[in-house]
Amino acid sequence: MAKWANDIIMDTGLQVVKTGITSYGPCNKMVACSAQPTNYTEANATYALADAAMSGSDFTLANGDVSGRKLTVGAKASQMIDASGTATHVALVDTANSVLLYVTTCTSQALTANGSNTVSFPAWDIEIADPA
């Protein structure tokens, strides 16, 4: 299970990540994780290696590359590495409501925390294809 989305994402669509609804979202933090988190605590603490603050302006909703819709997650450069480990996943979380919103894989990268090392998150997409 390499990629995961909370059911509320599928029910409400990509907009919940950007602007939120009721008690979910918006995403206000992107986290590089050393393993696939399955809940908020794992994403925000247990497997967290580095993170970036996020806001609605970091997300762009548009047509999908092939069909459907996509939400582009903006790049974040030079983010402080908080813990050493190998990043294998990226999680989007809502810290205000302690909710894990979305998880994806990333290119495996060794991160070393020494008080000055940083990591950059490239831009990436969440896509929902048109029903086939």
Side-chain angles (χ1 to χ4, degrees), residues 1-69:
M1 185 151 112
K3 296 183 180 183
W4 177 89
N6 187 304
D7 285 346
I8 196 70
I9 299 296
M10 303 309 255
D11 293 344
T12 309
L14 301 168
Q15 195 66 27
V16 71
V17 175
K18 182 176 180 175
T19 60
I21 60 161
T22 317
S23 60
Y24 293 92
C27 169
N28 61 1
K29 190 176 188 183
M30 178 167 49
V31 186
C33 297
S34 60
Q36 179 188 349
T38 59
N39 60 53
Y40 174 79
T41 300
E42 288 178 350
N44 196 48
T46 309
Y47 302 139
L49 301 175
D51 58 76
M54 303 295 285
S55 70
S57 63
D58 291 313
F59 300 96
T60 304
L61 192 58
N63 287 327
D65 292 337
V66 176
S67 71
R69 299 288 286 163

Side-chain angles (χ1 to χ4, degrees), residues 54-99:
M54 303 295 285
S55 70
S57 63
D58 291 313
F59 300 96
T60 304
L61 192 58
N63 287 327
D65 292 337
V66 176
S67 71
R69 299 288 286 163
K70 71 178 176 183
L71 186 68
T72 299
V73 180
K76 291 288 186 169
S78 303
Q79 303 300 304
M80 188 63 63
I81 298 171
D82 301 313
S84 296
T86 300
T88 59
H89 291 77
V90 174
L92 299 178
V93 299
D94 164 13
T95 62
N97 297 297
S98 301
V99 176

